[in-house]
Each structure stands twice: as C-alpha cells, then as structure tokens.
Amino acid sequence: MRDRIIMPSTMEDKRDRRNLITAFKHFNLPVDTDSEQSFKRYSTRVTEGHDKKLGKKLYQRFKRLIENRKFRRWRKPRWVPTAKSKIFRIPERKVFPKEELIELKRLHDRYNTMMRAVRRHLTEEIQRTSDTSELAMKKAADEELEHQRLMEYNQQENLRVASQREERIRKEFEADLARVEATKEKQAKITLQAQDEAIRLIAETQELVKTFIKREDLEDAIETALANPADYNFAIDEEGYIFRGRNTKPEDVAVEDREKLASVELY
C-alpha cells in the first residue's frame, strides 16, 4: 500500500504545503514525508548553512498542517482497468451447509408470512378508516349534525345580539333627542336673557338721552353753568362730617344739617 497523503483543510494549508514541496524538491528531499520529527530534521538540513529563521518558519507551517490534516485512503481511479494479475481470477463459490440453508429458508418464509400479515392488516385498516368506509360515513353524518346544531345556535345568537343592538340604538337616539332639547332650552334662555339685557340698555339709554342738552338750549345751559359754577371740592373732619365747597367752613353749616360718612370708623 502507498503511504497516506496529507489532505489540507483550508486554502492557506494548501499554499503552505505547495511551498514546502517546492522547498523539498529544491534540496532533493523526499516529498511524501508525514512525520513531524523527520520534517524537523529536514528543516534543519535545509537551513544548514543558510538562514535559521527559514527552517523555523517551515517547521511551524508543517506543524500546523499536521494539526489540521485529514487522511484519505488511496483508491484506484475508476477509469484505470483491471490489473493484469487479476484479469483471469475466478472467485470461488462459497459452500454453505445444508442445515444452514434449511434454517435460512425457514427464517425467510417466516419473515414473508409476517410481512404479508402486516400488509393485509394495514390494508384493512386503511379501508376501514377511508372516506368511503362505514366509520367515515358515520363520522361525516355526525359532523353534519353538529354543523347544523352550531348553525342554529349561531342564528339564535345573531337574533339576540341584533335585539340588543336595536335596543342600544333606540336608547342612544332618545338620549340624543333629550340632549338636543336641553341644548335648545339652554339656547332659548340665553337668547331671552340677551333680549332682556338689550331692552334694559335701551331703556337706560333713553333715560340718559333725556338729560342731553338740545342744540337750541345750548347757550342757555352755558350761561346757567357760568352763573352757577359747581364746586366739587370737599373736606372731612376727624368726626367724619363732610363739608362741601372750597370756601365752606364748619361753623357755616348747622350741626343738624351736616353730612356724615356712614362707614367711617375712628380709631
């Protein structure tokens, strides 16, 4: 047999092996070396008299190849013909004892019988549980009855939910009507209050208009104002009496005629 060949597992391993083979051929060393010790010895021979770093580097690469290698048994390619030494070789027919042949036949017949029984059983089981079997027809009838029952229940449930929905819609409609009526009443009250306020303002304005001075009475009003000037000055004493006028003195006003502040508190 030929020696086993190192099979690189990665592209880097393939490149390292190719470089190693090139180095071996350069120094006339055998290429089919598979041992780490022999390769260490060869790397020493390669680097003898040369750079020692090269030998160390070759050894480390070969060690990594050894760790990652895969072995494959050598076989002859299929396109290679039969060897000349085996062209006329006739293999000998094996001779079995008669008792062993009888026992093998018995076991074979027993196996066939058991397998035939199993196949028949499975066939009957498939026919019994198929869509056209009695059991399947009964199951289909039961499913149809169950479907009808569920459909009736669904119809009743739909009617019940529809009645509840109609009742809810009616109540919501009544609530909306009540809300609209309340809104109308509130708006009517607001409108009425606004009208009353407008009427009051109009009445006050009409009363105020009566005090206005007409154009033809303007000169008389000016003469009257000049003849009777209004004095808005006033004084308050310690007791809370009011003396109106710039030149009014306390002794000029009688005690019973004096005006007193209603909310004066003397401390």
Side-chain angles (χ1 to χ4, degrees), residues 8-200:
S9 58
T10 61
M11 294 299 295
E12 187 177 358
D13 294 341
K14 291 180 181 179
R15 184 176 62 254
D16 293 342
R17 180 167 178 78
R18 186 166 58 251
N19 296 334
L20 293 176
I21 292 174
T22 303
F24 282 171
K25 289 182 178 179
H26 179 72
F27 291 97
N28 296 324
L29 298 176
V31 181
D32 57 352
T33 301
D34 198 10
S35 174
E36 182 179 356
Q37 296 296 330
S38 59
F39 184 81
K40 188 175 183 180
R41 185 171 60 255
Y42 289 151
S43 63
T44 304
R45 289 175 57 187
V46 168
T47 58
E48 187 175 357
H50 299 83
D51 190 2
K52 293 184 179 181
K53 292 184 179 180
L54 176 61
K56 187 176 181 181
K57 187 175 182 180
L58 293 175
Y59 172 70
Q60 291 177 353
R61 290 191 176 185
F62 183 79
K63 187 175 181 181
R64 190 176 65 215
L65 277 175
I66 293 296
E67 293 175 354
N68 299 334
R69 64 185 176 178
K70 296 180 181 179
F71 295 103
R72 183 179 67 182
R73 183 175 179 273
W74 182 85
R75 290 184 179 276
K76 183 177 63 175
R78 61 178 60 202
W79 58 83
V80 177
T82 306
K84 294 181 179 180
S85 60
K86 297 180 181 180
I87 292 177
F88 301 103
R89 188 183 60 138
I90 300 175
E92 295 181 0
R93 186 184 183 90
K94 293 183 179 181
V95 180
F96 295 95
K98 185 177 181 180
E99 293 79 7
E100 186 175 352
L101 292 175
I102 294 173
E103 181 65 18
L104 288 175
K105 186 177 183 304
R106 186 187 67 82
L107 294 176
H108 185 69
D109 295 341
R110 183 170 177 269
Y111 171 78
N112 289 336
T113 303
M114 294 176 64
M115 291 302 298
R116 187 164 50 251
V118 170
R119 285 194 295 269
R120 182 173 296 178
H121 172 72
L122 294 177
T123 301
E124 293 177 355
E125 187 67 20
I126 291 173
Q127 291 178 357
R128 187 177 65 83
T129 58
S130 62
D131 295 339
T132 58
S133 62
E134 182 180 356
L135 181 62
M137 297 296 289
K138 184 178 179 181
K139 185 177 180 180
D142 294 341
E143 290 179 355
E144 184 65 24
L145 291 176
E146 181 68 14
H147 177 69
Q148 294 295 333
R149 187 183 66 81
L150 293 176
M151 289 297 292
E152 292 178 359
Y153 173 76
N154 189 24
Q155 186 67 20
Q156 295 176 2
E157 190 69 14
N158 290 338
L159 294 175
R160 184 180 66 82
V161 173
S163 62
Q164 292 181 355
R165 182 172 57 252
E166 292 176 358
E167 182 67 19
R168 176 176 54 82
I169 293 174
R170 185 183 62 79
K171 290 182 179 180
E172 291 178 355
F173 181 72
E174 292 178 355
D176 291 340
L177 289 179
R179 180 173 54 80
V180 170
E181 291 295 333
T183 304
K184 287 182 178 180
E185 293 179 0
K186 183 177 180 181
Q187 191 66 29
K189 290 181 179 179
I190 294 174
T191 304
L192 183 60
Q193 292 176 359
Q195 291 178 356
D196 294 341
E197 183 68 17
I199 293 172
R200 184 181 64 80

Side-chain angles (χ1 to χ4, degrees), residues 207-250:
E207 292 295 330
L208 182 62
V209 167
K210 293 179 180 179
T211 60
F212 290 171
I213 299 174
K214 296 180 180 181
R215 184 180 295 273
E216 56 272 13
D217 299 334
L218 181 60
E219 294 182 359
D220 295 338
I222 292 173
E223 293 178 357
T224 302
L226 292 175
N228 301 311
D231 191 359
Y232 297 99
N233 296 315
F234 64 92
I236 302 175
D237 61 1
E238 295 179 353
E239 296 179 357
Y241 291 104
I242 300 175
F243 300 96
R244 298 186 180 278
R246 182 184 299 272
N247 299 321
T248 303
K249 297 181 179 180

